[in-house]
Amino acid sequence: MSTIIKDLFDDITANERIYFRFIKKLSYIFTELSQIELLYSERLSRLTHFLQRNEYGISNFPIDKIRNTIEIHLEKEANYHLELSNKIRNEMQNKVIAIIQKDTENKKSFEENKQKIEEAFNNSKKEYEKMQEKYFTAAEIVAKDIIR
């Protein structure tokens, strides 16, 4: 019976380790994705600022209208990717970090409970051995009295 329980316990702990590794990798992915989106947003913003400069001082209405349309579109895209970066960081990555912290706390409490159970088991085992020794010494005394 105890080997079955030990095997089940080993399976659960192995699955827990796999889950924890997956969660850590997911956290790294969200961090990288957030950084990529932030970088993309910054580059779009730079491109928008580049287009806003009129280096030649020439005002050509159709070209200005096209340039303004492109600037507006690029600004919207930059803002969208900035918001996406913040959303990934705030919602997804923070949830994963919370899961990791909760798992760490659970491991600590599990280890504490495991140590308490092991101490109780060892204490009961010592008491059993003491009682067994007392029984055998008493049995030996009784056996000697009977033999005499």
Side-chain angles (χ1 to χ4, degrees):
M1 180 77 176
S2 66
T3 57
I4 295 171
I5 293 173
K6 183 163 178 23
D7 291 342
L8 289 173
F9 178 77
D10 291 341
D11 289 344
I12 290 170
T13 53
N15 288 337
E16 183 184 12
R17 279 188 233 111
I18 291 169
Y19 166 76
F20 191 68
R21 267 188 264 138
F22 171 76
I23 292 294
K24 277 201 161 198
K25 287 180 182 179
L26 192 61
S27 173
Y28 295 138
I29 289 170
F30 284 143
T31 303
E32 288 179 20
L33 186 58
S34 173
Q35 290 171 350
I36 289 168
E37 290 295 334
L38 185 63
L39 182 65
Y40 189 63
S41 169
E42 289 171 357
R43 288 184 178 174
L44 286 174
S45 293
R46 274 192 249 142
L47 184 59
T48 304
H49 292 297
F50 174 76
L51 288 175
Q52 287 174 349
R53 294 186 307 190
N54 189 353
E55 296 177 358
Y56 305 109
I58 303 168
S59 179
N60 192 348
F61 183 74
I63 293 176
D64 285 342
K65 190 172 183 180
I66 292 170
R67 186 173 50 195
N68 287 339
T69 306
I70 292 172
E71 287 173 12
I72 291 169
H73 178 71
L74 287 176
E75 239 177 272
K76 285 181 183 177
E77 284 293 313
N79 289 335
Y80 168 76
H81 286 283
L82 182 63
E83 289 174 14
L84 183 60
S85 170
N86 290 333
K87 193 178 224 182
I88 290 169
R89 189 179 319 109
N90 293 335
E91 293 179 10
M92 307 303 262
Q93 189 178 3
N94 289 343
K95 285 180 184 177
V96 170
I97 289 171
I99 290 171
I100 290 172
Q101 288 173 345
K102 186 176 179 182
D103 190 55
T104 306
E105 290 171 8
N106 288 343
K107 280 185 181 178
K108 287 179 184 176
S109 65
F110 174 76
E111 287 297 322
E112 290 171 359
N113 290 338
K114 184 179 172 185
Q115 288 175 352
K116 288 178 185 177
I117 290 171
E118 286 177 353
E119 285 178 21
F121 177 76
N122 289 335
N123 289 339
S124 63
K125 190 175 180 181
K126 287 177 186 176
E127 286 181 33
Y128 171 77
E129 289 171 356
K130 286 180 185 177
M131 295 301 286
Q132 189 178 24
E133 189 176 320
K134 284 182 184 179
Y135 172 77
F136 283 126
T137 54
E140 284 178 18
I141 292 170
V142 170
K144 286 180 184 177
D145 286 345
I146 291 175
I147 293 175
R148 284 187 208 175

